[in-house]
Amino acid sequence: FGAIAFILWVGGHDVLAGELSAGQLSAFVFYAAIVAGSVGALSEVWGDLQRATGATERLLEILSTRPAIQAPAQARALPEPARGAIDFERVSFRYPSRPDTPALDDFNLRVAPGETVALVGPSGAGKSTVFQLLLRFYDPESGVIRIDGLPLTEADPLALRRRMALVSQEAVIFAASVADNVRYARPDASPAEVHAACAAAFADEFIARLPEGYETDLGERGVRLSGGQRQRIAIARAILADRPILLLDEATSALDAESERMVQTALEGLMRGRTTLVIAHRLATVQQADRIVVLDGGRVVQQGRHADLISAGGLYARLARLQFAA
């Protein structure tokens, strides 16, 4: 605008003095508008370049960050055949975001191959932390965690995670077909193996009703499925993976009674013959576990069968009384 005003001021005097025609003045005003707009655009581009430079520096910092969890230089192979034995020995851990609060404190737990162990306790007792450490998303501050006798820090994290199958509270469903979602656990699985896994998870009955069956696209985050159907897809994925250790993190807590019954039936088949760790707030779902471990404040405060813990009193009996009375 300053450039146009300047051209009009100077050109106006020249037109009045007879040194410039009105047409020539119009042409100069037009040129001034083009030049001024171009300079303004260049200033915007310069601002974008400055922002891009700052963002690039941050991206390079992130890319150069080395993860705290890395495979050792001489990683030891996990024992074969896999048995699924789990051992937490005097494990203590604090989250980096909460350095003053121990998530686990002198925690001990031994799970025999093929045993089903339920972890129960109030929120913040350390149940999810057990899974986080077992999957080696973090390393404990002290103590040792072993799978089949091998400390986790001596194994390749990728090989370690291939020993476990996880069914979480919120099933992860990709924007892909049913078959591709199930086959994510084992990409080389044949269609017959995918169908068998879905049948074992009681998922084939609703898959058959989908428009294109196993080739139906499930949409982002599985929007075309109900909560129970998404859970059964996740269970089929775990069945297809066929891992010796099964981790169930509140797999039925968000379901209605009918969906929970279907999912629970599928889980019973999946748990058979595998070492299973179950996190549950709803005690009715873990009454048949081989052993119930009660956590509070990052420590094991009770363990045993459901009936024994009820008769012994304590934290588990109080939680059970509150839930079953309600």
Side-chain angles (χ1 to χ4, degrees):
F1 288 128
I4 294 171
F6 177 74
I7 291 295
L8 287 173
W9 174 260
V10 175
H13 282 79
D14 289 344
V15 170
L16 291 175
E19 298 177 0
L20 196 67
S21 68
Q24 289 173 321
L25 175 60
S26 300
F28 272 109
V29 171
F30 179 68
Y31 299 151
I34 293 177
V35 172
S38 300
V39 171
L42 284 174
S43 67
E44 292 180 5
V45 170
W46 178 251
D48 291 339
L49 286 173
Q50 292 292 96
R51 286 190 291 272
T53 301
T56 302
E57 290 177 358
R58 177 60 181 147
L59 287 172
L60 291 175
E61 287 178 10
I62 295 172
L63 291 172
S64 62
T65 301
R66 296 184 63 81
I69 305 299
Q70 292 189 356
Q74 300 293 330
R76 294 174 56 189
L78 287 161
E80 294 289 350
R83 298 185 303 117
I86 300 172
D87 185 17
F88 285 76
E89 182 181 341
R90 307 199 67 177
V91 171
S92 295
F93 174 73
R94 290 175 171 82
Y95 284 102
S97 58
R98 304 194 302 270
D100 299 329
T101 306
L104 292 179
D105 186 16
D106 198 26
F107 176 77
N108 294 278
L109 177 66
R110 181 165 294 177
V111 184
E115 185 181 15
T116 297
V117 173
L119 304 178
V120 303
S123 296
K127 303 182 298 295
S128 297
T129 303
V130 172
F131 279 21
Q132 299 276 350
L133 294 177
L134 193 58
L135 289 162
R136 211 187 165 202
F137 295 149
Y138 300 93
D139 279 336
E141 296 173 359
S142 62
V144 182
I145 306 172
R146 299 182 181 89
I147 287 184
D148 289 342
L150 180 67
L152 302 193
T153 53
E154 299 180 16
D156 183 352
L158 182 59
L160 169 70
R161 291 164 191 159
R162 284 177 176 158
R163 288 283 173 101
M164 304 178 216
L166 173 67
V167 180
S168 61
Q169 182 176 355
E170 288 293 331
V172 178
I173 303 297
F174 302 103
S177 68
V178 175
D180 288 339
N181 267 283
V182 176
R183 196 179 282 118
Y184 179 75
R186 188 153 57 87
D188 59 346
S190 66
E193 290 173 318
V194 172
H195 295 179
C198 291
F202 296 94
D204 53 346
E205 55 91 14
F206 75 81
I207 294 174
R209 298 196 301 268
L210 295 175
E212 299 176 48
Y214 282 86
E215 298 306 317
T216 302
D217 190 285
L218 298 181
E220 196 68 39
R221 300 175 66 88
V223 293
R224 296 186 179 181
L225 301 178
S226 68
Q229 290 170 342
R230 287 196 293 269
Q231 285 297 75
R232 280 182 274 172
I233 292 291
I235 292 169
R237 187 185 292 161
I239 291 172
L240 186 65
D242 192 23
R243 308 281 168 78
I245 297 174
L246 177 63
L247 307 178
L248 303 178
D249 187 1
E250 291 284 350
T252 62
S253 64
L255 305 180
D256 58 79
E258 184 177 359
S259 297
E260 182 179 3
R261 182 182 59 82
M262 296 288 291
V263 170
Q264 196 64 43
T265 304
L267 286 174
E268 288 172 3
L270 176 60
M271 292 160 60
R272 196 172 297 118
R274 290 179 172 84
T275 302
T276 307
L277 283 179
V278 185
I279 292 177
H281 285 109
R282 293 162 66 171
L283 304 183
T285 62
V286 298
Q287 292 186 39
Q288 304 305 317
D290 297 327
R291 182 160 43 112
I292 298 172
V293 176
V294 186
L295 278 71
D296 191 21
R299 288 174 173 266
V300 175
V301 295
Q302 287 180 295
Q303 55 181 313
R305 298 296 296 263
H306 171 77
D308 299 333
L309 291 173
I310 291 291
S311 60
L315 177 59
Y316 184 84
R318 181 168 60 85
L319 294 173
R321 185 167 57 251
L322 291 171
Q323 289 194 21
F324 296 144

